[in-house]
Structures are given as C-alpha cells and as structure tokens.
Amino acid sequence: MPYLRACLASLLGQTIGHRRMEIVAVDDGSTDGGGRLLDQLAARYPDTVRVRHQANSGGPANPCNRGLELATGRYVFFVGSDDRLGPEALERLVTAADRYTSDVVAGRAVGVNSRHMFQEIFAESRVDVDLFDSALPWSLANIKLFRRDLVERHHLRFHEDMPILSDQPFTLEACYRARRVSVLADYDYYHAVRRLDARNITYRSRLEQRLRCVELLVDRVAELIPAGKQRDAVLRRHFGLEVAHLVGDDLPRLDDPTRERVYGVVRRLVDRYLTDDLRDGLDIETRLRLSAVAGGGLDDLLAVIGQDAERGVPPTVVAGNRWHAGYPGVGLPAWTDVTGVRADWLARLDAVAVGWEGNRSLTVTARSPQPDLGRLVGGPIRVRAGRIPGDTLDVTPDARGTLVRVRFPVDRLLAGSATTGQRHPLRVEVDGTDGRGTAALRAPGLTPARPRIRRHGTRLYAVTTSLDARTGHLVLAVVPVTAARLAARLRRGGR
C-alpha cells in the first residue's frame, strides 16, 4: 500500500494534466486494501481514473492486457504499482513522440533502494535508435511510451503463459516493428523501486517457473527475428543475462534432479541458438560456462562454477601456441581454449581485499594468477564501478600472481550515482598487446567492506560493497539513508 500510494500520487501530479491523461488501474486481486483506494480515487477523479477489479492472475501479463483493452489514448505507458514517474515524465515523453513521430520512446529509468537498472542506453538522448546496433536489447522492460496505433495494428499483447519476463517479448516486438524508437536521457522519467520487503513476483519466482519462462523468452525471439546477426544481437542479451543466471554460482547448491533439469534446458537453448558470433560476443565468464554446456557435460559445468565461485580464476595452461583456461578436472578440451579472447581472459581478476582510506576513498585490491600480468597485457589495467573509473595505484607481482590496487574517491562515486541510489558492478578493463578486454570482478570468499555514511548535497548516503549472490560479482553500492530503509533493516534484526 505505501508503494501504491506513492505511485498514484506521481501519476495524479503529472504536469501533462488530468484532461490529457487517463489512468487505467487493474486491481489484480490485491489483498492490502489497494482496490478500495483505487475506487476512492475513481470517485474523486471520474474523468481520469478507471478501475477494473479481477481475481489474481499470477503475473503482470493478464492485467497489462486488460489495461490495453480499456485504454483509449493515443499513447500507452505501463507503470508498476511499486514504481513512480518523475513529475514531467508524460508531458516530456508525449512531446518527444509527437515531435519525432516516434512509435516508442524510452525515458531514462533509475533504480530506487539499490534496484539495478541498465543505464547504457541512456548515455545520451537519441531521436532514432537501432534495435540491433545499440544497448536497447538490454533495456526491454515495458516502461516506455508506446503509440497505441502500433500496438493495435500489430495486435501486440503480453504472453499470459509467462508469469515472469512477459514484458520483454512485448517490448521487443514493439521496437522491432516501430518506425522509430527514441531515447531521452535528459530527465529521470521512471523510478523503479525495489520493495524493501522483497515480495514482488520477480523476486519470488520459483526456479521451475523461471526455467520455463526463459525458454519461452528465447524461443519467441527466434519466432520473431530470422536467424542471423540481428537475432544474435538480441539473443546476446538473453544468453548474457537470463540464460547466464541459470548457470550462476547457485547451481551447485541445488539437488541433483534440479541441476539436471537446469542443465537440460540450457543445453537445449545452446544447441538451438548459440552461434559462433553470439558466443564470441558474450562476457568471458558466460562464454566459458556455456561452452562447457555445449562441449562438455554437467560435471564440467559444475567444475567451472566451483573453481570460479570458491577458488578464483584458474591458471592459464599454454599448449603449443594455444592458451587454455586451466580448470581442474576437465583437461584441455576445445571449449577451454581462450587464445582468441586473450585480452578478456587476462582481464579476469579476483578481488582479495576492500578497505577504506579514512572516509574519502574505497580501495579495491585484486589478484591475477598471472605473475607477469603487466607484461602480458602490455598496456593499462583499470577497474570501473559501472561507468565510474577508479584510479589504478599500482600493478605489483607477488608470490601468487599479480596484485592490482585501485582507488575510488567517494566524492566521485556520489557524483556518478543517481540521487535515488545506484548499484555499480565492478569490471576490469585491459588495453594492450592483445587488444581491449573486459571481465566482471569476482570476489570468492571476500568479506565486503563495512558501509560508510557520507553527505552529498542535502542527503545522506551509505557507500558500501556487496557480493551478488547469483553471480559472485563484486558490486559497489551507493544507497540513500532513509527512514524506510532504517525501519526495514530493524525489522530484519539490524542486518
């Protein structure tokens, strides 16, 4: 209810005005009194608010479709009841769509309560964005303005057999069929909220449900886009994110039958759709895990995950003029060959320490198993937190390889984060003899740094590091210190 109230207030306060807007609210079997609140608002704003009540459908697809049936405006925009809009969002989006004759307009979305939102597509405003030559496939949530004529002409609807991820096929087809897709990066249009009680359906989705929906998601891309580079450009997102999460660090913790089920689904998707071009465009870690699926078996995949998650980057084995990832127990099959991606392979480091220099800087120390990393790279070695660069202090050989120490000034982190807070995954970048390479920074066994509170402008923020439980990657988080977060932390026993 608190989230719904904030959502509705953001809609009723839109500068576009009530006369140019209709709010179609679908109450999908809510149990917290939200339906009564909607009815009260419909009575107060009869020309603006329309409500439909129905039994719970089990996911967002059905209520989104019911909303489309009721909508009458020239454009439609989907808003989750946990989220909210910036005050000028709809006015700015509609103005841009009219000016540019755009069928789809994506306004910058920011995360609240450390919810991660891909920001690459919002690097700059662009009148015309190519679906296949941009970061748009990484931002397929339905939180965009859609021309209703496009939706109805192609009868675009959400797949109701997908209790999760159903917005992605809808958004993909809309962007695929649109005459023009525009991106606006000049304003915080959409505030995507991670609920502090973590009870929304995306967070609660069960593995069997996720397996089925990921397979449907990938199959529907293939149904829409013919095989080739364009399909691969979209599937790079799905294999790099949804499929990669299925072979994440938590796979070994599942029971044997469930692991076999996961492996079977991933193997089918790999066999059907993982082309050489698609594989070559994946992150080095995902590439190796999916190559283990394709060229090895479940035991090989588990060996790779166990090494990455528990012991860190394996050594490099040189056989003739070929480089191989030296995963224990798997030998040197073709799928371990990293010769063609040596720059990415050299970028694989493990964080071994994080610490504070007073309250001004956070220092991250990472290790490569390569004792001569600096010479092998032949150029600069950097670490970024999202798009925020760190300062490389030194690259020093030691008895176990090479240590790379990087400093992140807190003021830089605060200035580079959204006012609502932001999670910044850490990535290593190398640029040298073998070209440019990049890899996510892992931290097996590392204890994250304790948070420090800093003021930025008129607000307080906690700056800290954490580990992504599914991927094992190190994340730097800037989180607003709010009464709601403090209350939620107290409810969890102060954790």
Side-chain angles (χ1 to χ4, degrees):
M1 179 65 83
Y3 302 94
L4 177 62
R5 286 188 186 278
C7 173
L8 293 169
S10 79
L11 300 182
L12 291 166
Q14 287 293 302
T15 58
I16 199 170
H18 293 184
R19 287 191 296 179
R20 294 189 62 197
M21 171 179 66
E22 62 178 358
I23 300 172
V24 179
V26 181
D27 171 20
D28 194 47
S30 64
T31 58
D32 61 355
R36 290 192 299 274
L37 174 61
L38 292 173
D39 288 339
Q40 291 167 6
L41 291 176
R44 190 181 311 169
Y45 304 100
D47 296 329
T48 304
V49 180
R50 305 167 66 192
V51 181
R52 172 169 179 156
H53 300 282
Q54 61 183 39
N56 180 254
S57 65
N62 178 280
C64 283
N65 286 339
R66 302 295 80 74
L68 282 174
E69 291 171 1
L70 296 170
T72 62
R74 291 188 299 125
Y75 299 101
V76 293
F77 192 100
F78 299 92
V79 184
S81 59
D82 300 333
D83 303 334
R84 58 183 183 266
L85 298 184
E88 302 173 19
L90 295 181
E91 184 176 19
R92 286 169 174 259
L93 289 165
V94 169
T95 298
D98 286 344
R99 178 183 302 153
Y100 306 134
T101 64
S102 308
D103 284 334
V104 181
V105 183
R108 183 171 66 207
V110 296
V112 180
N113 295 333
S114 301
R115 182 168 175 179
H116 180 64
M117 302 296 290
F118 287 102
Q119 294 297 307
E120 288 80 358
I121 193 63
F122 303 119
E124 60 178 349
S125 295
R126 295 172 61 184
V127 172
D128 212 336
V129 175
D130 188 320
L131 172 63
F132 307 111
D133 190 26
S134 73
L136 187 56
W138 291 85
S139 297
L140 289 180
N142 63 333
I143 50 176
K144 298 168 177 61
L145 188 78
F146 299 93
R147 190 177 294 272
R148 197 164 66 88
D149 174 68
L150 169 78
V151 173
E152 296 307 323
R153 185 165 13 102
H154 296 285
H155 194 65
L156 304 183
R157 291 296 186 268
F158 294 77
H159 292 279
E160 296 187 18
D161 58 349
M162 297 178 67
I164 59 172
L165 305 176
S166 61
D167 59 335
Q168 294 191 37
F170 175 92
T171 306
L172 173 65
E173 186 167 2
C175 292
Y176 181 67
R177 301 197 183 282
R179 292 166 299 181
R180 172 171 288 164
V181 179
S182 300
V183 170
L184 304 180
D186 58 338
Y187 182 73
D188 290 348
Y189 290 84
Y190 197 93
H191 298 259
V193 180
R194 183 175 72 88
R195 282 174 51 169
L196 296 176
D197 59 7
R199 291 183 63 191
N200 26 350
I201 192 167
T202 302
Y203 304 128
R204 291 186 288 108
S205 59
R206 293 181 174 85
L207 179 60
E208 282 295 326
Q209 186 181 80
R210 182 165 291 276
L211 280 174
R212 182 166 59 86
C213 290
V214 169
E215 192 164 15
L216 287 171
L217 177 66
V218 175
D219 285 342
R220 281 167 178 158
V221 174
E223 292 168 5
L224 178 68
I225 305 173
K229 290 186 179 297
Q230 290 189 337
R231 180 196 285 180
D232 286 349
V234 174
L235 288 182
R236 191 165 294 122
R237 173 252 161 80
H238 296 309
F239 274 84
L241 189 62
E242 287 87 7
V243 178
H245 281 174
L246 295 179
V247 292
D249 285 8
D250 50 355
L251 180 64
R253 296 193 286 271
L254 304 176
D255 58 63
D256 288 344
T258 306
R259 287 197 300 231
E260 292 281 358
R261 168 88 171 111
V262 173
Y263 176 80
V265 170
V266 175
R267 181 63 188 257
R268 282 198 297 275
L269 293 175
V270 165
D271 288 346
R272 289 176 194 162
Y273 304 119
L274 189 65
T275 66
D276 290 344
D277 282 346
L278 173 53
R279 183 199 61 225
D280 291 347
L282 295 173
D283 181 278
I284 181 66
E285 184 177 295
T286 303
R287 172 192 172 108
L288 282 166
R289 293 190 182 191
L290 295 184
S291 294
V293 170
L298 177 56
D299 289 342
D300 293 316
L301 173 62
L302 293 174
V304 171
I305 295 173
Q307 174 70 33
D308 290 346
E310 299 169 13
R311 295 175 294 278
V313 180
T316 303
V317 178
V318 179
N321 62 348
R322 311 301 298 179
W323 280 25
H324 288 263
Y327 286 105
V330 303
L332 298 179
W335 62 262
T336 65
D337 193 316
V338 294
T339 309
V341 286
R342 291 207 302 189
D344 288 335
W345 178 247
L346 291 173
R348 291 200 65 186
L349 276 66
D350 295 309
V352 295
V354 290
W356 289 96
E357 296 180 1
N359 283 325
R360 296 183 176 277
S361 297
L362 184 69
T363 300
V364 178
T365 303
R367 174 180 280 116
S368 166
Q370 302 285 354
D372 51 354
L373 179 67
R375 181 186 63 80
L376 286 171
V377 170
I381 301 171
R382 309 181 185 91
V383 179
R384 289 182 178 271
R387 295 167 60 189
I388 303 171
D391 300 324
T392 302
L393 301 177
D394 47 63
V395 178
T396 310
D398 75 350
R400 298 174 57 190
T402 301
L403 291 177
V404 179
R405 202 160 56 95
V406 181
R407 174 190 293 142
F408 289 93
V410 173
D411 289 345
R412 187 184 301 168
L413 295 172
L414 292 170
S417 301
T419 57
T420 54
Q422 196 165 339
R423 295 172 74 249
H424 303 282
L426 276 83
R427 295 192 67 84
V428 181
E429 297 178 350
V430 302
D431 199 350
T433 306
D434 293 304
R436 181 165 295 174
T438 181
L441 182 62
R442 283 189 153 272
L446 178 69
T447 300
R450 294 182 64 84
R452 295 290 176 93
I453 307 297
R454 287 293 302 273
R455 182 178 297 279
H456 185 63
T458 59
R459 304 186 67 177
L460 293 176
Y461 293 86
V463 181
T464 187
T465 55
S466 64
L467 297 180
D468 187 300
R470 180 175 288 164
T471 66
H473 298 162
L474 187 62
V475 175
L476 198 155
V478 176
V479 183
V481 178
T482 64
R485 288 194 69 88
L486 289 174
R489 189 170 183 179
L490 289 172
R491 287 195 298 271
R492 296 194 301 267
R495 296 190 302 275

